[in-house]
Amino acid sequence: MNLNVTYPGDSSFHSLSQTFNSRLSYTPAAIVSPSSVQDVERLVICGARLKLPVVSRSGGHSYAGYGLGGVDGALVADLSSLKQITSSGDNVVVQTGNTLGEVATYLWDHGRRALPHGTCPKVGTGGHTSYGGYGPYSRMAGLLVDRVVSADVVLANGTSVTASEMSHPDLFWALKGAAPSYGIVTSWTYSTLTAPMVSVSFFISLPRYTSGGSFATAFSKYQTFVHTAPRELAMAFAFGGDSKGIGAQLTGNYFGSKSNFINLVSGLVKDLNGSISHADEYPDWTKLLVANGGEQLVTTGPSPPNTFFAKSLVTFDLLDHSSLKRWGDYLVNTAIHTDIGWFAQADLYGGAISSDFDASSSSFAHRDAFLVFQFYGSSKDNAPYPSDGMNVINKMLTSLSPNPTAAYPNYIDPTLTDSEWQSQYFGNNMARLREIKASYDPNNVFKFPQSIPVGNMADTRTPTQSMGTRKNSISGTGGDDVPLNPHLHKSSDTCLPETTVTSLTAFPFCLDSFHPFKSDVVPM
């Protein structure tokens, strides 16, 4: 058998272990690049045997670097070589090494089909689907996770199963909202849709706001308008700031004709003293996606890294004016004078997300969301993150919502406490998620800092006891070096070889003699 393993010290390790968020840095025990599902099964057995946390990386865009473990010493499954896509009627089977752009291109080329998903074409299908998967078409067709009809997943005992409503239904429910805690999904099967015949990409420029009150009034008018908008409209309120004030715009898609879009929004544009910078009609779905993402759907190389910190907020109804005024005052009086580049965006949910799919159909917890905010601050030119940067973004959230109750896990925030992320990401689903975790992964093989915990059992599976070599959020310097798992290169442990050769043959997994959970019964 062949397996591609990269260790610390190998020539390619540095490039393979780079985080998308340069504010954070972790050193995995090894990075395995499987070329088949069988390879994934072997590496999971290996990780369980060596008591290493096992994590998977699809597109590598985790804000918290969880695709590299979120701590030092994890065994990483880099799924980027799992690229098969196959169609069967209206369904498509997508291996999780594929990016959103690759899937969209395939679907358009094979029958003018489409899926609802995010706008960044290099984001991987693995994590994006796992935690919801919102995009402009979601108000018409649901989240990407809502289009999943089955998932092929490698479990903690190294076996593969297909989870669906008819087979492993509890696991299927958990995968649709929290998949990385339960196994490595090697492929999703989606139910696709006929691509829209005509769509509009639009950009509405708004005045610059120099007072908290004027900003609050504008945002209030936006939220009031979209609260009753038809599902054909996907509209975000996006803004950033500098010393001259807050620059804002409304951007998104309308799934219909340009004339119908103009008729719909003309009153709002006038009320906000704005102007339609462009409203371009697209009969070609892929060209609309290029317009949304600002780059071609399929390009070589990873996304460039960025040094940033982000928070999110999920709201369920109109925000009161006093909260908006307090938020606006903070933005105008404080945030615009900081030394980070920042933006914020409020995306409109609802439509099909809340009305076409039952809340119990998945473990995604925010089915009835109204607006989902992202607050994002980055250093300039990837310099070390400024000393006030995290505080600015934290207060950008708390000035609007002092006690937030819900957040979006695809904008994952590693600074949340255990009680915060469990309640804000998963809400009332947490108890059931923990029960299913105990059934399918009782030894906590699939573990990262915000993975679903296994009951109250003591966890002894992190041999390094490390919180990761994270770049300090103030100075940007690295932490102390943490030794890797001492068992990893011992000759008596033949799961991973005592070598740093990156292309291995006759990989000695001892599959016939070793089964980590031989006494455990995995639920059927």
Side-chain angles (χ1 to χ4, degrees):
M1 68 183 77
N2 295 314
L3 201 65
N4 192 325
V5 184
T6 304
Y7 295 102
D10 288 349
S11 59
S12 60
F13 183 83
H14 178 74
S15 60
L16 286 176
S17 61
Q18 293 301 293
T19 54
F20 172 61
N21 184 355
S22 298
R23 191 178 60 82
L24 305 170
S25 178
Y26 304 108
T27 303
I31 299 174
V32 182
S33 301
S35 58
S36 67
V37 174
Q38 291 72 29
D39 287 349
V40 178
E41 294 170 345
R42 295 175 189 124
L43 75 88
V44 169
I45 291 174
C46 177
R49 179 178 182 178
L50 296 180
K51 300 186 185 300
L52 295 171
V54 176
V55 297
S56 58
R57 178 173 65 181
S58 176
H61 287 79
S62 169
Y63 282 15
Y66 289 164
L68 289 169
V71 294
D72 288 338
L75 183 60
V76 175
D78 183 339
L79 304 177
S80 59
S81 294
L82 300 183
K83 290 288 193 181
Q84 287 186 353
I85 306 178
T86 56
S87 295
S88 176
D90 291 343
N91 289 348
V92 62
V93 182
V94 177
Q95 287 193 316
T96 46
N98 286 286
T99 64
L100 301 181
E102 290 166 339
V103 174
T105 300
Y106 175 93
L107 292 177
W108 179 256
D109 291 343
H110 292 76
R112 301 299 191 257
R113 308 295 293 176
L115 285 169
H117 54 68
T119 59
C120 299
K122 289 186 176 181
V123 166
T125 53
H128 187 64
T129 307
S130 296
Y131 291 117
Y134 169 86
Y137 200 45
S138 290
R139 282 174 48 80
M140 292 286 288
L143 304 169
L144 186 55
V145 75
D146 295 326
R147 309 308 306 181
V148 173
V149 296
S150 67
D152 294 324
V153 56
V154 177
L155 300 176
N157 63 2
T159 62
S160 294
V161 300
T162 299
S164 67
E165 290 183 355
M166 302 301 294
S167 176
H168 303 277
D170 277 354
L171 175 63
F172 186 54
W173 177 86
L175 294 177
K176 295 196 302 177
S181 293
Y182 297 89
I184 297 179
V185 175
T186 55
S187 65
W188 301 104
T189 298
Y190 303 104
S191 173
T192 67
L193 302 145
T194 300
M197 295 290 290
V198 62
S199 307
V200 175
S201 172
F202 65 85
F203 188 98
I204 299 171
S205 298
L206 301 179
R208 183 171 290 274
Y209 302 108
T210 57
S211 72
S214 62
F215 174 83
T217 298
F219 192 91
S220 183
K221 291 178 179 179
Y222 158 76
Q223 68 168 357
T224 300
F225 174 81
V226 298
H227 195 254
T228 58
R231 65 171 59 194
E232 288 82 5
L233 181 68
M235 178 181 281
F237 189 108
F239 61 94
D242 58 26
S243 60
K244 298 178 181 179
I246 298 173
Q249 54 273 325
L250 305 178
T251 183
N253 294 156
Y254 178 78
F255 299 100
S257 68
K258 178 178 179 178
S259 60
N260 285 346
F261 168 71
I262 297 298
N263 289 336
L264 175 65
V265 303
S266 58
L268 174 67
V269 173
K270 181 178 179 181
D271 201 23
L272 289 172
N273 196 27
S275 61
I276 300 176
S277 299
H278 73 253
D280 300 325
E281 202 172 77
Y282 291 92
D284 184 322
W285 172 249
T286 58
K287 290 183 179 179
L288 175 78
L289 298 181
V290 170
N292 287 341
E295 60 180 311
Q296 295 301 309
L297 295 182
V298 180
T299 57
T300 59
S303 297
N306 193 7
T307 304
F308 68 93
F309 176 64
K311 306 279 291 185
S312 68
L313 172 69
V314 178
T315 63
F316 301 94
D317 207 342
L318 296 170
L319 293 161
D320 63 83
H321 189 78
S322 62
S323 296
L324 294 176
K325 174 65 163 55
R326 184 178 61 242
W327 185 37
D329 287 343
Y330 173 75
L331 295 172
V332 170
N333 296 330
T334 303
I336 66 173
H337 302 294
T338 62
D339 54 357
I340 61 170
W342 60 265
F343 77 88
Q345 181 164 315
D347 285 307
L348 175 63
Y349 275 49
I353 301 171
S354 56
S355 63
D356 293 5
F357 300 92
D358 191 88
S360 64
S361 63
S362 72
S363 54
F364 179 78
H366 306 317
R367 185 63 57 187
D368 55 348
F370 169 43
L371 296 176
V372 175
F373 293 75
Q374 178 176 200
F375 312 92
Y376 187 107
S378 60
S379 63
K380 298 175 182 178
D381 301 318
N382 269 347
Y385 203 66
S387 58
D388 65 341
M390 294 180 72
N391 191 47
V392 169
I393 299 302
N394 279 319
K395 288 187 176 180
M396 201 174 291
L397 165 63
T398 57
S399 63
L400 176 61
S401 179
N403 298 293
T405 61
Y408 181 42
N410 264 335
Y411 302 146
I412 203 148
D413 175 7
T415 68
L416 295 178
T417 66
D418 286 350
S419 61
E420 286 173 339
W421 69 258
Q422 290 180 26
S423 63
Q424 291 184 32
Y425 291 155
F426 301 110
N428 293 333
N429 292 333
M430 194 64 204
R432 185 181 176 192
L433 286 168
R434 292 177 74 133
E435 291 176 1
I436 298 170
K437 175 74 169 180
S439 295
Y440 281 90
D441 186 15
N443 287 7
N444 213 11
V445 171
F446 302 107
K447 182 184 177 185
F448 49 93
Q450 292 180 354
S451 58
I452 303 298
V454 183
N456 295 317
M457 67 175 288
D459 180 26
T460 59
R461 295 200 62 265
T462 50
T464 63
Q465 298 297 307
S466 166
M467 291 305 293
T469 308
R470 294 177 289 182
K471 293 181 181 177
N472 186 280
S473 61
I474 295 177
S475 67
T477 58
D480 294 335
D481 291 335
V482 179
L484 298 177
N485 188 303
H487 300 295
L488 186 60
H489 296 292
K490 283 188 176 180
S491 59
S492 61
D493 286 311
T494 58
C495 180
L496 288 177
E498 191 178 4
T499 178
T500 58
V501 176
T502 59
S503 182
L504 303 167
T505 58
F507 202 77
F509 264 100
C510 309
L511 290 179
D512 292 336
S513 61
F514 173 67
H515 195 289
F517 307 129
K518 199 172 277 187
S519 62
D520 294 333
V521 177
V522 176
M524 300 302 289

